[in-house]
Amino acid sequence: MKGTSSPQNVCTKLERIAELARRSPDMKLSTLAHHIDEEWLAEAYRRTRKDGATGVDGQSAKEYEVNLQSNLELLLDRAKSGTYRAPPVRRVHIPKGKGETRPLGIPTFEDKVLQRAVAMVLEAVYEQDFLDCSYGFRPGRSAHGALDDLQNQLVVMGGGWVLEVDFRKYFDTLDHAKLREVLTQRVTDGVLLRLISKWLHAGVMEDGQIHYPSTGTPQGGVISPLLANIFLHEVLDGWFEREVKPRLKGTARLFRYADDAVMIFANEADARRVFEVLPKRCEKYGLTLHPEKTRLLDFRSPAKKSSKDDDDDKGSRTFDLLGFTHFWAPGRARKWVVMRKTARDRFRRSIGNIRAWCNLHRHDPVPMQQRALRQKINGHYAYYGISFNLRALGRFLYAVTLAWWRALRRRSQRGMPWKKMDAMLRAYPLPPPRIVCQSKHFRSANP
């Protein structure tokens, strides 16, 4: 690597790729890999997290950095010549709720760098194609942005019919051949497609054994969420915008964050028509909808419903998205507004993790436990600390305090009376509930 790498030079290249993709939305781009040079890889290395878990080779970012220049030069040569072999990902399982776990794939650090380099190219192209309804793993977009826009749209429409879309094991069942078909509609660069194919077929190491799934893309890799977005852009987003909305009688909107999506309709007949054809659309691309979690519900504002509607509505009047339960409630000036609270399954999962941690670390020094718990609580507040969710945050703090106390009681046979715990909490306090992210809708409505 000659000289000093310049992020500005890479940004200029990214702007050129983006401009080409923007000017030619129907063009198949066949010459993209030449942008990936030593300087590009250096920038990819800079953007790659250095504190993540190690992959199957056990090499850390610090160890890779010792011979960074030669490592990146060799990586570039192997990637361009076709001799790069994608190592298997190390699989771990994280709790998902209801006794289920979510498989997470951990690539090697070098693999993360190369995936980041390829993702930078693809992102520059597909950001010009992606629609506003897509929020997941995109620059300048977030889960809170999706939730705020959804809340605002529901209030503006006075609610409507909500179609919850849940793909059964999306990341595990993604069809490799179908994904390649979707990719080649826009990108035909042989180097990039070959690398993506190698990552899809790299294999998974679990309990010392390597197996090679024929479908799916391992969650945890840098490239995985981008590939998921590209695929669902074709399967869901573009289809909904191009083919569905022009045929509807009323207003309709789609909100998607990765594989979590909801559609809202002003017209019930529109909602039922889409509900009927959606499984066929997904089946065409090798996807299956969860039969219980994919559902249609009447989520009209109570102000728009008659007493007869209330009597006929025996189903759920709430729905969940991105860890929050959405429901109607009277707001200021006695107007009905959409509010959100921590979803029950997310609450239970968070508390379960806290209890497990407290039991595992109950013999650690109390100041050390307090620091760790403060970090965990503040992390919870950072996501769930939204407008009108203060009560759920208070319940969370109470449950954490109770879990901590019960773990400390097990440190000795004498236990710990609550009076002593109360005194300890004054010496080592936990952070009180607080709203971190105020809803855009309520900010505008209540300056």
Side-chain angles (χ1 to χ4, degrees):
M1 193 179 305
K2 300 175 182 179
T4 305
S5 63
S6 169
Q8 185 57 46
N9 291 342
V10 175
C11 287
T12 301
K13 291 182 182 179
L14 286 169
E15 290 171 2
R16 289 173 183 166
I17 296 172
E19 179 61 27
L20 174 62
R22 188 164 44 247
R23 287 201 320 264
S24 309
D26 299 321
M27 178 188 292
K28 292 186 177 183
L29 305 176
S30 58
T31 55
L32 293 170
H34 71 278
H35 292 288
I36 302 178
D37 53 17
E38 293 172 7
E39 193 171 51
W40 189 284
L41 277 184
E43 177 62 14
Y45 166 80
R46 189 185 70 82
R47 296 187 184 189
T48 302
R49 280 187 57 183
K50 311 299 191 294
D51 58 349
T54 58
V56 295
D57 62 354
Q59 187 179 47
S60 66
K62 191 173 183 179
E63 292 169 335
Y64 191 82
E65 189 179 10
V66 173
N67 297 306
L68 180 61
Q69 180 173 333
S70 60
N71 284 336
L72 293 182
E73 288 175 353
L74 182 59
L75 177 60
L76 179 64
D77 180 67
R78 286 182 289 147
K80 291 294 184 71
S81 66
T83 60
Y84 180 79
R85 296 186 64 181
V89 297
R90 181 169 67 86
R91 172 163 286 178
V92 297
H93 293 266
I94 58 175
K96 187 180 178 182
K98 296 183 179 179
E100 299 180 358
T101 61
R102 183 189 301 275
L104 188 68
I106 303 175
T108 64
F109 181 76
E110 182 176 66
D111 210 36
K112 291 178 184 177
V113 173
L114 187 55
Q115 286 191 31
R116 175 64 67 189
V118 172
M120 287 161 58
V121 178
L122 294 179
E123 190 176 84
V125 173
Y126 282 99
E127 272 300 311
Q128 317 315 311
D129 299 345
F130 287 158
L131 303 176
D132 287 342
C133 61
S134 170
Y135 292 82
F137 305 102
R138 294 182 57 192
R141 293 186 154 236
S142 66
H144 284 147
L147 291 164
D148 279 352
D149 290 346
L150 170 63
Q151 178 191 44
N152 187 59
Q153 184 65 34
L154 284 167
V155 172
V156 169
M157 290 174 55
W161 279 262
V162 171
L163 174 54
E164 292 184 85
V165 181
D166 189 280
F167 298 100
R168 187 194 286 271
K169 296 183 177 180
Y170 173 71
F171 285 92
D172 295 333
T173 60
L174 198 151
D175 188 290
H176 294 169
K178 297 290 186 183
L179 174 59
R180 187 178 180 88
E181 287 179 17
V182 170
L183 282 169
T184 53
Q185 291 176 14
R186 193 67 160 117
V187 174
T188 58
D189 186 290
V191 174
L192 298 186
L193 292 177
R194 185 168 59 241
L195 285 171
I196 291 171
S197 180
K198 288 182 178 182
W199 285 319
L200 292 175
H201 296 92
V204 175
M205 177 176 284
E206 188 172 9
D207 298 327
Q209 301 293 321
I210 299 179
H211 59 97
Y212 298 90
S214 58
T215 59
T217 172
Q219 297 181 67
V222 176
I223 200 73
S224 181
L226 179 55
L227 294 179
N229 265 346
I230 292 170
F231 196 61
L232 284 180
H233 168 74
E234 174 62 25
V235 176
L236 201 61
D237 306 355
W239 170 74
F240 188 80
E241 192 68 28
R242 295 188 311 266
E243 300 181 34
V244 174
K245 288 177 68 174
R247 293 178 167 87
L248 302 182
K249 297 178 181 179
T251 304
R253 287 283 304 275
L254 166 67
F255 295 85
R256 182 178 65 80
Y257 187 96
D259 61 329
D260 292 316
V262 297
M263 301 175 183
I264 56 175
F265 303 86
N267 184 284
E268 182 181 6
D270 289 341
R272 296 198 178 278
R273 285 174 59 198
V274 175
F275 188 40
E276 289 176 3
V277 301
L278 184 59
K280 297 177 183 177
R281 174 68 180 180
C282 295
E283 185 180 351
K284 178 181 176 181
Y285 290 87
L287 299 177
T288 305
L289 294 175
H290 196 293
E292 297 175 1
K293 297 180 181 179
T294 300
R295 64 192 185 111
L296 181 65
L297 70 146
D298 183 351
F299 195 73
R300 288 176 295 166
S301 166
K304 298 177 67 175
K305 290 185 178 183
S306 66
S307 57
K308 183 180 182 299
D309 290 327
D310 290 337
D311 291 339
D312 292 342
D313 184 11
K314 297 179 181 179
S316 171
R317 301 179 188 179
T318 68
F319 69 93
D320 291 353
L321 180 68
L322 299 175
F324 289 94
T325 297
H326 296 67
F327 61 99
W328 285 99
R332 297 180 184 180
R334 296 183 179 180
K335 291 184 178 180
W336 289 97
V337 295
V338 176
M339 293 189 181
R340 300 162 297 179
K341 62 183 178 181
T342 308
R344 187 177 301 174
D345 62 333
R346 293 295 185 92
F347 187 91
R348 284 198 300 255
R349 188 193 311 175
S350 298
I351 294 303
N353 292 337
I354 292 287
R355 286 174 184 151
W357 186 92
C358 288
N359 287 326
L360 184 63
H361 295 270
R362 65 179 181 272
H363 293 295
D364 292 352
V366 169
M368 188 181 299
Q369 292 187 47
Q370 184 227 20
R371 284 195 296 272
L373 285 174
R374 286 182 66 90
Q375 284 185 326
K376 294 177 184 297
I377 293 170
N378 283 327
H380 186 88
Y381 292 165
Y383 185 73
Y384 292 101
I386 63 172
S387 301
F388 300 101
N389 197 33
L390 202 59
R391 174 182 284 186
L393 300 184
R395 288 175 50 232
F396 177 77
L397 177 62
Y398 174 77
V400 171
T401 305
L402 205 59
W404 193 19
W405 176 47
R406 287 172 174 167
L408 291 174
R409 288 174 64 185
R410 297 176 59 195
R411 282 164 59 129
S412 70
Q413 294 182 346
R414 292 178 296 176
M416 173 186 280
W418 178 255
K419 186 175 181 180
K420 185 176 180 181
M421 180 68 184
D422 191 45
M424 194 195 75
L425 286 170
R426 287 195 292 271
Y428 301 99
L430 298 177
R434 68 182 189 280
I435 300 301
V436 178
C437 304
Q438 190 177 20
S439 165
K440 289 191 297 185
H441 171 74
F442 288 106
R443 278 203 303 270
S444 61
N446 306 296

